[in-house]
Amino acid sequence: MTVRLFVPADAAAIAVGADDVALALAAAAARIGRSVEIVRTGSRGAFFLEPLVEVETASGRVGFGPVAAGDVESLVADGLLDGIGARSLGLVEDVPFLKAQTRFTFSRCGVIDPASLDDYRAQGGGLGLARAAAMAPAEIVAAVSASGLRGRGGAGFPTGIKWKTVLDAPGARKFVVANADEGDSGTFADRVLMEGDPFAVIEGMAIAGLATGASRGYLYIRSEYPHAIARMEAAVETARRAGWLGDRIAGSGHAFDIEIRVGAGAYVCGEETALIESIEGNRGEVRAKPPLPALKGLFGAPTVVNNLLSLAAVPFILAEGPEAYAAVGCGRSRGTMPVQIAGNVKRGGLFEVAFGITLGELVEEIGGGTATGRPVKAVQVGGPLGAYFPPALFDTPFDYEAFAARDGLIGHGGIVVFDDTVQMDAMARFAFEFCAIESCGKCTPCRIGSTRGRETLDAIIAGRDVSKNAALVEELCDIMRFGSLCALGGFTPYPVMSALRHFPRDFGLPETAAAKAAARETAA
Amino acid sequence: MQETEKRTAAIVARFAGVEGATLPILHAVQEAFGHVPRESIPVIAAALNRTRAEIHGVVSFYHDFREEPAGRHHVRVCRAEACRAMGSDRIVAGFETALGITLGSTSADGAVTLEPVYCLGLCATAPSAMIDGKPVGRLDEAAAARLAREIGR
Ligand SMILES: Cc1cc2nc3c(=O)[nH]c(=O)nc-3n(C[C@H](O)[C@H](O)[C@H](O)COP(=O)(O)O)c2cc1C
Ligand code: SF4
Ligand code: FES
């Protein structure tokens, strides 16, 4: 009997040897005369276990991981092909990191063959689009509003309101733009979903098209993601052949098609108006708002710009009902957030969970603390424009408002963990440096201020006029915060000021009471 | 017409009817030539009904587009936060030593370009790099040195 094996073809799994493991498995099976079928899935997101090999057994899929190509021979000799061996993780769905999740958006990711529309359908894919096709646009928008879904790209703007604006806007043509520019360090959820469940992205975009009257969608993927680009190109082709895209999608009377656009290495192009400029073929410079893209966006037409995760949440909302989505969460943050735990962490990966879990639970319990085994000193939440949090603030619940109340942001849901060897003055310097490299150049505080900030941090690091220069940094941050057109210049003060506030000693400044408490917590 | 212009014109023709075709064309031109040759710009500008200055402005804005040829091999080491948390400084140093060039430069024999990149989405298997489009993760200095040696010159 042919044994079915599953080995991820996710870029991060490949980065740690999954291709070699797949080859070694095929060779080892051939040597002992066993017939195997190796399905290349996406990743379940438990990256600390990658390369994760799964074997289909009568009781379910049994996992082994992390597997190195060199281990394969002995694992197979010990019974891997029958799901046995001392290194078995047991049933994959019972692995604590996976079992503790609430997978609304990522339910199929890592499970199905991402190239197969049949697999997608067999696991509930397409139900949302079928429902939407039988609904009036305003009903779809109402369902999305009722779910409480907020934008996962950073600002947390209610998706239903955005869609309603586009639906109500007059326009001979309208567009849906899926933002997969995902430039934030510590984030990879867009990538993992595109590689592991590309039809969910297409389904979400198609539903947005039906809801707003847009007949064309653009999926903007950053160039750093070649595997995701290839996977999405193939999936769009397949979806067209199956009638999911085209003149009459999913049996509705509506046309919708998707074009994939590839970024060119500019972080600022994740900002929605810069993204629009980029698709139009221009320099990725931020536009002043108003006009809102929802009224006057791509090629001057009403345009929905949504993060890829916002769009991919919608099939579940329509298939299971908005109440099912809104039933979990915390305060005004409804549903689930695909949190990404990265950096110096023992169990890094994608963790989809209802809003409300605390930062400390995510870092210490789910993530298991640092990979190096040293104490956690700081975590940066929300990408390069997000604040650094000391362990003293680990009681902060994952919730848009709770993070804002502590001068931070959730952003796209990335958490980067640092151990006690990190020098926070160097991280503050990097925040300015990154802003200087990526600034679109439109506003002086961002363009010039970032470089001045980096130079001032250099002086602080060299020990020159530390308190005077620290005051200068603070002043500079104020100017950037209030004088920048977009969040690149406007939010770079978050990482800088949080580093200064919580870790003054790293800058050669006297300890404050708050920082002292934080340091005690780190030592504990 | 010269060779470069001819090849550029053939590429541009593939995008007839595509709205906002500038970036797709530039990607295709760079894919074909390894960079965006100076001679290509007037051809692209004419086809898109834009000025040369506009096209040049687009090329110079985006980090991906290069106006000069790069090395035959391309090593991009991630310098963003999650990789820094896992010691990307050491990985950069490892590649620099093994390749004999500094970050942001091309070797004199034109074999290798070593560049920074800001996140590859491999942040849970950090520190990461990408070598000729192939992702590598959980690097240490020894792995960097080995990978550098494996790059054919
Ligand atoms: C500098 C900068 C970079 C951004 N990068 C991204 C990004 O990579 N992906 C994204 O979805 N949103 C990004 N955003 C937010 C977008 O401007 C926009 O708010 C978002 O795409 C809207 O979608 P949502 O409502 O679904 O979140 C960025 C914003 C700024 C200021
Ligand atoms: S803040 Fe910076 S990136 Fe944003 S618009 Fe101004 S110059 Fe451009
Ligand atoms: S920060 Fe290096 S891969 Fe994301």
Side-chain angles (χ1 to χ4, degrees):
Chain A
M1 214 184 70
T2 300
V3 178
R4 292 189 91 202
L5 301 173
F6 303 86
V7 181
D10 173 279
I14 290 173
V16 292
D19 284 348
D20 294 338
V21 169
L23 289 174
L25 279 167
R31 262 196 298 280
I32 57 169
R34 296 277 300 261
S35 154
V36 293
E37 179 198 354
I38 301 178
V39 180
R40 300 303 300 270
T41 59
S43 174
R44 299 213 193 215
F47 285 111
F48 62 102
L49 294 177
E50 296 289 2
L52 172 65
V53 174
E54 299 179 31
V55 188
E56 196 166 72
T57 72
S59 46
R61 276 157 71 164
V62 171
F64 295 81
V67 173
D71 302 342
V72 165
E73 187 82 54
S74 71
L75 285 168
V76 168
D78 289 350
L80 178 141
L81 298 181
D82 302 302
I84 35 187
R87 285 186 51 198
S88 158
L89 301 166
L91 289 179
V92 177
E93 60 207 40
D94 290 339
V95 168
F97 185 93
L98 295 170
K99 199 172 183 170
Q101 300 191 35
T102 302
R103 289 211 160 192
F104 288 175
T105 301
F106 282 79
S107 60
R108 284 171 297 260
C109 193
V111 178
I112 62 167
D113 173 357
S116 165
L117 192 54
D118 289 339
D119 256 27
Y120 182 65
R121 276 215 192 84
Q123 299 280 335
L127 216 59
L129 180 58
R131 292 258 160 83
M135 288 161 80
E139 288 177 301
I140 307 174
V141 170
V144 171
S145 292
S147 75
L149 177 66
R150 293 165 71 178
R152 304 294 186 235
F157 188 81
T159 305
I161 295 180
K162 190 180 280 188
W163 287 21
K164 184 168 188 332
T165 311
V166 176
L167 172 63
D168 293 343
R173 53 179 194 160
K174 297 177 184 178
F175 296 103
V176 172
V177 173
N179 187 345
D181 201 46
E182 198 164 65
D184 290 0
S185 167
T187 70
F188 41 80
D190 297 351
R191 180 187 67 69
V192 170
L193 192 70
M194 288 188 281
E195 293 183 19
D197 197 10
F199 296 111
V201 176
I202 293 172
E203 187 178 351
M205 290 180 72
I207 295 171
L210 291 177
T212 58
S215 58
R216 194 166 184 79
Y218 287 87
L219 168 57
Y220 190 96
I221 311 177
R222 64 201 297 256
S223 62
E224 291 83 350
Y225 285 0
H227 299 78
I229 294 165
R231 186 62 88 187
M232 287 305 318
E233 297 267 11
V236 164
E237 230 5 88
T238 304
R240 275 190 198 129
R241 278 201 304 273
W244 283 43
L245 296 173
D247 289 340
R248 296 169 56 82
I249 60 164
S252 73
H254 296 277
F256 190 75
D257 208 342
I258 294 175
E259 183 176 332
I260 292 167
R261 285 299 176 91
V262 178
Y267 176 75
V268 73
C269 284
E271 194 283 333
E272 56 187 3
T273 62
L275 185 72
I276 287 170
E277 289 288 337
S278 186
I279 296 175
E280 290 179 351
N282 304 320
R283 294 163 66 88
E285 283 170 3
V286 174
R287 292 179 189 167
K289 288 184 270 196
L292 289 175
L295 298 174
K296 207 168 176 295
L298 186 61
F299 305 120
T303 303
V304 171
V305 184
N306 268 136
N307 175 248
L308 181 125
L309 295 181
S310 317
L311 292 163
V314 172
F316 175 94
I317 291 167
L318 287 184
E320 306 292 326
E323 309 76 24
Y325 194 78
V328 303
C330 163
R332 288 175 47 226
S333 306
R334 307 312 312 169
T336 59
M337 184 74 199
V339 176
Q340 300 126 85
I341 313 172
N344 191 340
V345 66
K346 193 163 156 202
R347 291 188 290 272
L350 180 126
F351 193 84
E352 183 176 354
V353 64
F355 283 99
I357 188 170
T358 67
L359 185 54
E361 285 173 279
L362 286 164
V363 174
E364 303 286 2
E365 284 163 41
I366 308 298
T370 64
T372 46
R374 303 183 64 94
V376 175
K377 176 164 167 177
V379 301
Q380 186 179 30
V381 185
L385 310 176
Y388 286 99
F389 280 71
L393 297 180
F394 274 9
D395 60 341
T396 313
F398 228 76
D399 164 296
Y400 291 103
E401 280 69 40
F403 266 72
R406 289 188 159 172
D407 288 331
L409 50 97
I410 288 181
H412 187 48
I415 300 177
V416 177
V417 183
F418 294 83
D419 74 10
D420 61 351
T421 60
V422 66
Q423 282 294 330
M424 296 308 295
D425 52 354
M427 296 318 295
R429 180 193 184 279
F430 176 68
F432 276 130
E433 181 185 352
F434 183 74
C435 180
I437 294 169
E438 300 297 341
S439 170
C440 84
K442 212 161 178 172
C443 338
T444 313
C446 170
R447 189 183 67 237
I448 309 289
S450 53
T451 298
R452 285 288 294 124
R454 179 178 50 77
E455 290 164 359
T456 312
L457 254 308
D458 279 335
I460 292 174
I461 291 168
R464 286 199 303 274
D465 296 331
V466 171
S467 47
K468 202 178 107 218
N469 278 318
L472 194 62
V473 166
E474 196 154 340
E475 200 179 311
L476 203 57
C477 281
D478 271 342
I479 295 170
M480 286 176 71
R481 191 158 27 220
F482 298 110
S484 298
L485 193 55
C486 86
L488 183 48
F491 288 3
T492 291
Y494 275 123
V496 173
M497 290 311 300
S498 57
L500 253 174
R501 189 171 320 120
H502 299 305
F503 308 95
R505 290 259 304 259
D506 281 17
F507 295 77
L509 290 163
E511 192 105 69
T512 60
K516 221 177 261 166
R520 259 203 311 280
E521 193 93 4
T522 305
Chain B
M1 238 202 277
Q2 299 299 307
E3 182 62 21
T4 302
E5 281 89 335
K6 249 190 241 155
R7 282 174 66 195
T8 306
I11 291 166
V12 170
R14 294 197 336 239
F15 295 91
V18 173
E19 221 173 340
T22 311
L23 261 72
I25 288 173
L26 290 172
H27 274 303
V29 166
Q30 177 146 307
E31 166 96 25
F33 295 99
H35 66 295
V36 180
R38 200 191 319 269
E39 301 78 21
S40 296
I41 292 191
V43 182
I44 299 169
L48 295 174
N49 210 2
R50 304 179 70 173
T51 65
R52 293 175 193 196
E54 270 181 299
I55 302 300
H56 184 262
V58 174
V59 172
S60 62
F61 181 86
Y62 294 94
H63 300 302
D64 278 2
F65 299 134
R66 44 179 94 248
E67 298 174 73
E68 301 297 330
R72 290 186 294 284
H73 299 282
H74 197 191
V75 180
R76 310 170 83 188
V77 186
C78 179
R79 298 296 285 136
E81 286 89 344
C83 287
R84 282 175 187 257
M86 287 300 277
S88 83
D89 288 348
R90 292 194 301 274
I91 308 309
V92 169
F95 275 110
E96 285 181 336
T97 308
L99 295 172
I101 49 176
T102 55
L103 193 67
S105 67
T106 298
S107 60
D109 61 358
V112 195
T113 296
L114 178 63
E115 281 179 333
V117 62
Y118 296 93
C119 194
L120 294 161
L122 311 171
C123 332
T125 49
S128 315
M130 193 172 262
I131 300 176
D132 292 333
K134 187 183 178 324
V136 285
R138 288 189 199 132
L139 295 174
D140 55 24
E141 284 146 299
R146 179 175 50 75
L147 288 164
R149 274 196 309 274
E150 282 170 9
I151 294 169
R153 301 191 74 112

